[in-house]
């Protein structure tokens, strides 16, 4: 089992509001590069969507539950079919997005017990909790040529250090997909 974090990110490490749904002044920065930069399987998830599970925080899940079920292209079909766990203490009904359920109990304990590979999308509070528990095995970052100067960062200044190896680098439209892994991690 591996925990894989996927994020849209700016050159200065900002991950907040890439699509503008958060209403921040700099929101929508990833989408300024056109739909081709964000559409489809840009994170090269492939079989992870067939055999793994997605883990999302409530806010990301609620946003995605209004978008993905309406789409029927091949990648959207995989996103809709993958089992989804929602880390929340307030959401009870997950019927809006098929194959979703609320994660029961402690987040860290649940992740440690999961047998499948886990893909964490967005969900910065979930990511930070897993980082603090040293549970992230791989980061797949789609880095856009944008500098915002302000916003929530993937790696906070008061967070734990991370010593990673570069797995791959690939230009994907206007962005660059970089994969970083914890040394010695067996990758999916």
């Amino acid at each position: 089992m591996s925990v894989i974090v996927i994020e849209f990110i700016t050159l200065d490490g900002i991950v907040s509001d890439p699509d503008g749904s958060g209403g921040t002044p700099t929101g929508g920065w990833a989408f300024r590069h056109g739909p081709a930069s964000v559409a489809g399987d840009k994170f090269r998830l492939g079989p992870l969507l067939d055999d793994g599970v997605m883990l999302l925080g409530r806010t990301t899940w609620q946003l995605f539950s209004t978008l993905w079920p309406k789409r029927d292209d091949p990648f959207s079909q995989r996103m809709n079919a993958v089992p989804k766990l929602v880390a929340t203490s307030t959401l009870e009904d997950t019927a809006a997005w098929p194959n979703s359920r609320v994660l029961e109990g402690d987040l860290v304990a649940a992740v440690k017990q999961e047998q499948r590979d886990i893909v964490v999308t967005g969900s910065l509070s979930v990511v930070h909790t897993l980082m603090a528990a040293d549970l992230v095995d791989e980061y797949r970052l789609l880095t856009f040529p944008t500098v915002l100067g302000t916003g929530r960062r993937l790696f906070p200044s008061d967070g734990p250090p991370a010593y990673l190896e570069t797995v791959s680098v690939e230009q994907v439209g206007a962005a660059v997909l970089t994969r970083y892994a914890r040394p010695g991690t067996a990758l999916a």
Side-chain angles (χ1 to χ4, degrees):
M1 184 277 295
S2 292
V3 175
I4 300 131
V5 168
I6 64 173
E7 296 284 349
F8 292 134
I9 191 167
T10 65
L11 285 174
D12 57 343
I14 305 299
V15 293
S16 54
D17 206 12
D19 65 348
S21 65
T24 63
T26 57
W29 49 268
F31 289 73
R32 289 188 177 106
H33 298 280
S37 293
V38 295
D41 189 5
K42 296 299 185 209
F43 291 98
R44 309 298 185 244
L45 298 174
L48 290 169
L49 293 180
D50 298 327
D51 303 325
V53 60
M54 291 190 78
L55 172 60
L56 306 119
R58 178 193 50 81
T59 303
T60 301
W61 183 89
Q62 285 179 314
L63 172 65
F64 284 10
S65 73
T66 65
L67 301 173
W68 289 106
K70 298 174 187 173
R71 300 176 181 172
D72 66 353
D73 59 273
F75 180 70
S76 297
Q77 290 172 1
R78 291 174 96 182
M79 286 289 288
N80 289 325
V82 67
K84 293 166 275 296
L85 300 174
V86 187
T88 180
S89 60
T90 58
L91 184 69
E92 294 179 12
D93 182 10
T94 59
W97 196 10
N99 303 310
S100 297
R101 70 177 175 85
V102 171
L103 183 137
E104 299 292 330
D106 178 70
L107 171 63
V108 170
V111 167
K112 287 180 178 179
Q113 292 174 358
E114 182 60 52
Q115 298 298 309
R116 299 167 287 189
D117 288 328
I118 299 170
V119 176
V120 186
T121 304
S123 308
L124 198 53
S125 61
V126 170
V127 171
H128 285 168
T129 298
L130 298 178
M131 288 168 73
D134 196 28
L135 291 176
V136 178
D137 298 298
E138 181 183 351
Y139 295 91
R140 294 187 187 184
L141 308 178
L142 199 58
T143 306
F144 288 84
T146 301
V147 176
L148 298 177
T150 185
R152 294 183 68 200
R153 297 182 186 282
L154 176 58
F155 300 102
S157 61
D158 62 346
Y163 303 99
L164 307 169
E165 294 178 346
T166 303
V167 175
S168 65
V169 178
E170 170 190 0
Q171 185 168 354
V172 180
V176 175
L177 174 63
T178 51
R179 292 178 63 187
Y180 302 100
R182 180 193 322 233
T185 300
L187 299 176

Coordinates of all heavy atoms in Angstrom, one line a residue, residues 90-132:
T90 N -18.5 16.1 9.5 CA -19.8 16.8 9.3 C -20.7 16.2 8.2 O -21.9 16.3 8.3 CB -19.6 18.3 9.1 OG1 -18.8 18.5 7.9 CG2 -18.9 19.0 10.2
L91 N -20.1 15.7 7.2 CA -20.8 15.2 6.0 C -21.3 13.8 6.4 O -20.6 12.9 6.9 CB -19.9 15.1 4.8 CG -20.6 14.7 3.5 CD1 -21.5 15.7 3.0 CD2 -19.5 14.4 2.4
E92 N -22.6 13.5 6.1 CA -23.2 12.2 6.3 C -23.6 11.5 5.1 O -23.5 10.3 5.0 CB -24.3 12.3 7.3 CG -23.9 12.8 8.7 CD -25.1 13.0 9.7 OE1 -26.2 12.5 9.4 OE2 -24.8 13.5 10.7
D93 N -24.1 12.3 4.1 CA -24.7 11.7 2.9 C -23.7 11.8 1.7 O -23.4 12.9 1.3 CB -26.0 12.4 2.6 CG -26.7 11.8 1.3 OD1 -26.3 10.8 0.9 OD2 -27.7 12.5 0.8
T94 N -23.3 10.7 1.2 CA -22.3 10.7 0.1 C -23.0 10.2 -1.2 O -22.2 9.8 -2.1 CB -21.1 9.9 0.5 OG1 -21.5 8.5 0.7 CG2 -20.3 10.5 1.6
A95 N -24.3 10.2 -1.2 CA -25.0 9.6 -2.4 C -24.7 10.4 -3.7 O -24.9 9.9 -4.8 CB -26.5 9.5 -2.1
A96 N -24.3 11.7 -3.6 CA -24.1 12.6 -4.7 C -23.1 12.1 -5.7 O -23.1 12.4 -6.9 CB -23.9 14.0 -4.3
W97 N -22.1 11.3 -5.2 CA -21.0 10.8 -6.0 C -20.9 9.3 -5.8 O -20.5 8.9 -4.7 CB -19.7 11.5 -5.7 CG -18.6 11.4 -6.8 CD1 -18.8 10.8 -8.0 CD2 -17.3 11.8 -6.6 NE1 -17.6 10.9 -8.7 CE2 -16.6 11.5 -7.8 CE3 -16.6 12.4 -5.6 CZ2 -15.3 11.7 -8.1 CZ3 -15.2 12.7 -5.9 CH2 -14.6 12.3 -7.1
P98 N -21.2 8.5 -6.8 CA -21.1 7.0 -6.7 C -19.8 6.5 -6.0 O -18.7 7.1 -6.3 CB -21.3 6.5 -8.1 CG -22.0 7.6 -8.8 CD -21.5 8.9 -8.2
N99 N -19.9 5.4 -5.3 CA -18.8 4.7 -4.7 C -18.1 5.6 -3.6 O -16.9 5.4 -3.4 CB -17.8 4.3 -5.8 CG -18.5 3.4 -6.8 OD1 -19.2 2.4 -6.4 ND2 -18.4 3.7 -8.1
S100 N -18.8 6.5 -3.0 CA -18.2 7.3 -1.9 C -18.8 6.8 -0.6 O -19.9 6.4 -0.5 CB -18.6 8.7 -2.1 OG -18.1 9.3 -3.3
R101 N -17.9 6.9 0.4 CA -18.4 6.7 1.8 C -17.5 7.5 2.8 O -16.4 7.8 2.5 CB -18.4 5.2 2.2 CG -17.0 4.6 2.3 CD -17.1 3.1 2.8 NE -15.9 2.5 2.8 CZ -15.0 2.5 3.8 NH1 -15.4 3.2 4.9 NH2 -13.9 1.9 3.8
V102 N -18.1 7.8 3.9 CA -17.4 8.6 4.9 C -16.4 7.6 5.6 O -16.8 6.5 6.0 CB -18.4 9.2 6.0 CG1 -17.7 9.8 7.1 CG2 -19.3 10.2 5.3
L103 N -15.2 8.1 5.8 CA -14.2 7.4 6.5 C -14.5 7.3 7.9 O -14.8 8.3 8.6 CB -12.8 8.1 6.3 CG -11.6 7.4 6.8 CD1 -10.5 7.4 5.8 CD2 -11.2 8.0 8.1
E104 N -14.6 6.1 8.5 CA -14.9 5.9 9.9 C -13.7 6.0 10.8 O -12.6 5.5 10.4 CB -15.6 4.6 10.1 CG -16.9 4.4 9.3 CD -18.0 5.3 9.8 OE1 -18.1 5.7 11.0 OE2 -18.8 5.7 8.9
G105 N -13.8 6.7 11.9 CA -12.7 6.7 12.9 C -11.6 7.7 12.5 O -11.7 8.6 11.7
D106 N -10.4 7.4 13.1 CA -9.2 8.3 13.0 C -8.6 8.1 11.6 O -8.4 7.0 11.1 CB -8.2 7.8 14.0 CG -7.0 8.7 13.9 OD1 -7.0 9.9 14.3 OD2 -5.9 8.1 13.5
L107 N -8.3 9.3 11.0 CA -7.8 9.3 9.6 C -6.5 8.6 9.5 O -6.3 7.7 8.7 CB -7.6 10.8 9.2 CG -6.8 11.0 7.9 CD1 -7.5 10.4 6.7 CD2 -6.6 12.5 7.7
V108 N -5.5 8.8 10.4 CA -4.2 8.2 10.3 C -4.4 6.7 10.5 O -3.8 5.9 9.8 CB -3.2 8.8 11.4 CG1 -2.0 8.0 11.5 CG2 -2.9 10.3 11.0
A109 N -5.1 6.3 11.5 CA -5.3 4.8 11.7 C -6.0 4.2 10.5 O -5.6 3.0 10.1 CB -6.2 4.6 13.0
A110 N -7.0 4.8 9.9 CA -7.7 4.2 8.8 C -6.7 4.1 7.6 O -6.7 3.1 6.9 CB -8.8 5.1 8.4
V111 N -5.8 5.1 7.4 CA -4.9 5.0 6.3 C -3.9 3.9 6.5 O -3.5 3.1 5.6 CB -4.1 6.4 6.1 CG1 -2.9 6.2 5.2 CG2 -5.1 7.4 5.5
K112 N -3.4 3.7 7.8 CA -2.5 2.7 8.1 C -3.1 1.3 7.9 O -2.4 0.3 7.6 CB -2.0 2.8 9.5 CG -1.0 3.9 9.7 CD -0.6 4.0 11.2 CE 0.4 5.1 11.4 NZ 0.8 5.2 12.8
Q113 N -4.4 1.2 8.0 CA -5.1 -0.1 7.9 C -5.5 -0.5 6.5 O -5.7 -1.6 6.1 CB -6.3 -0.2 8.8 CG -6.0 -0.2 10.3 CD -7.2 -0.1 11.1 OE1 -8.3 0.0 10.6 NE2 -7.0 -0.2 12.4
E114 N -5.5 0.5 5.6 CA -6.0 0.3 4.2 C -5.0 -0.6 3.5 O -3.8 -0.4 3.6 CB -6.1 1.7 3.5 CG -6.6 1.6 2.1 CD -8.0 1.0 2.0 OE1 -8.9 1.4 2.7 OE2 -8.1 0.0 1.1
Q115 N -5.5 -1.5 2.7 CA -4.7 -2.5 2.0 C -4.5 -2.0 0.5 O -3.5 -2.4 -0.1 CB -5.4 -3.8 1.9 CG -5.6 -4.4 3.3 CD -4.3 -4.7 4.0 OE1 -3.5 -5.4 3.4 NE2 -4.2 -4.2 5.2
R116 N -5.3 -1.1 0.0 CA -5.1 -0.6 -1.4 C -4.3 0.6 -1.4 O -4.1 1.3 -0.4 CB -6.5 -0.3 -1.9 CG -7.5 -1.5 -2.0 CD -8.9 -1.0 -2.3 NE -9.4 -0.4 -1.1 CZ -10.7 0.0 -0.9 NH1 -11.5 -0.2 -1.9 NH2 -11.1 0.6 0.2
D117 N -3.7 0.9 -2.6 CA -3.0 2.2 -2.7 C -4.1 3.3 -2.6 O -5.2 3.2 -3.0 CB -2.4 2.3 -4.1 CG -1.2 1.4 -4.3 OD1 -0.5 1.2 -3.3 OD2 -0.9 0.9 -5.4
I118 N -3.6 4.4 -2.0 CA -4.5 5.6 -1.7 C -4.0 6.8 -2.5 O -2.9 7.1 -2.4 CB -4.5 5.9 -0.2 CG1 -5.0 4.7 0.7 CG2 -5.3 7.1 0.1 CD1 -4.7 4.9 2.2
V119 N -4.9 7.4 -3.2 CA -4.7 8.6 -3.9 C -5.4 9.7 -3.2 O -6.6 9.7 -3.1 CB -5.1 8.5 -5.4 CG1 -4.9 9.9 -6.1 CG2 -4.4 7.4 -6.1
V120 N -4.6 10.7 -2.7 CA -5.2 11.9 -2.1 C -5.2 13.0 -3.1 O -4.1 13.4 -3.5 CB -4.4 12.3 -0.8 CG1 -5.1 13.4 0.0 CG2 -4.2 11.0 0.1
T121 N -6.3 13.6 -3.3 CA -6.5 14.6 -4.3 C -6.9 15.9 -3.6 O -7.8 16.0 -2.9 CB -7.6 14.3 -5.3 OG1 -7.3 13.1 -5.9 CG2 -7.7 15.4 -6.4
G122 N -6.1 17.0 -3.9 CA -6.4 18.3 -3.2 C -6.4 18.1 -1.7 O -5.4 17.6 -1.2
S123 N -7.4 18.4 -1.0 CA -7.7 18.1 0.4 C -6.5 18.4 1.3 O -5.9 17.5 2.0 CB -8.0 16.6 0.5 OG -9.1 16.3 -0.4
L124 N -6.0 19.6 1.3 CA -4.8 20.0 2.0 C -4.8 19.7 3.4 O -3.7 19.3 3.9 CB -4.5 21.5 1.7 CG -3.1 22.0 2.0 CD1 -2.1 21.2 1.2 CD2 -3.0 23.4 1.6
S125 N -5.9 19.8 4.1 CA -5.8 19.4 5.6 C -5.6 17.9 5.7 O -4.8 17.5 6.7 CB -7.1 19.8 6.3 OG -8.2 19.2 5.7
V126 N -6.1 17.1 4.9 CA -5.9 15.7 4.9 C -4.4 15.4 4.6 O -3.7 14.6 5.3 CB -6.8 14.9 3.9 CG1 -6.3 13.4 3.8 CG2 -8.2 15.0 4.3
V127 N -3.9 16.0 3.6 CA -2.5 15.9 3.2 C -1.5 16.3 4.3 O -0.6 15.6 4.7 CB -2.1 16.7 1.9 CG1 -0.7 16.7 1.6 CG2 -2.9 16.2 0.7
H128 N -1.8 17.4 4.9 CA -0.9 17.9 6.0 C -1.0 16.9 7.2 O 0.0 16.6 7.9 CB -1.3 19.3 6.5 CG -0.9 20.3 5.5 ND1 -1.3 21.6 5.6 CD2 0.0 20.3 4.5 CE1 -0.7 22.3 4.6 NE2 0.0 21.5 3.9
T129 N -2.1 16.3 7.5 CA -2.2 15.3 8.6 C -1.4 14.1 8.2 O -0.7 13.6 9.1 CB -3.7 14.9 8.8 OG1 -4.4 16.0 9.2 CG2 -3.8 13.8 9.8
L130 N -1.5 13.6 7.0 CA -0.7 12.5 6.6 C 0.8 12.8 6.5 O 1.6 11.9 6.8 CB -1.2 11.9 5.2 CG -2.7 11.5 5.2 CD1 -3.1 11.0 3.8 CD2 -2.9 10.4 6.2
M131 N 1.2 14.0 6.1 CA 2.6 14.4 6.1 C 3.1 14.4 7.5 O 4.2 13.9 7.8 CB 2.7 15.8 5.5 CG 2.5 15.8 4.0 SD 2.3 17.5 3.4 CE 4.0 18.1 3.5
A132 N 2.4 14.9 8.5 CA 2.8 15.0 9.9 C 3.0 13.6 10.5 O 3.9 13.4 11.3 CB 1.8 15.8 10.7

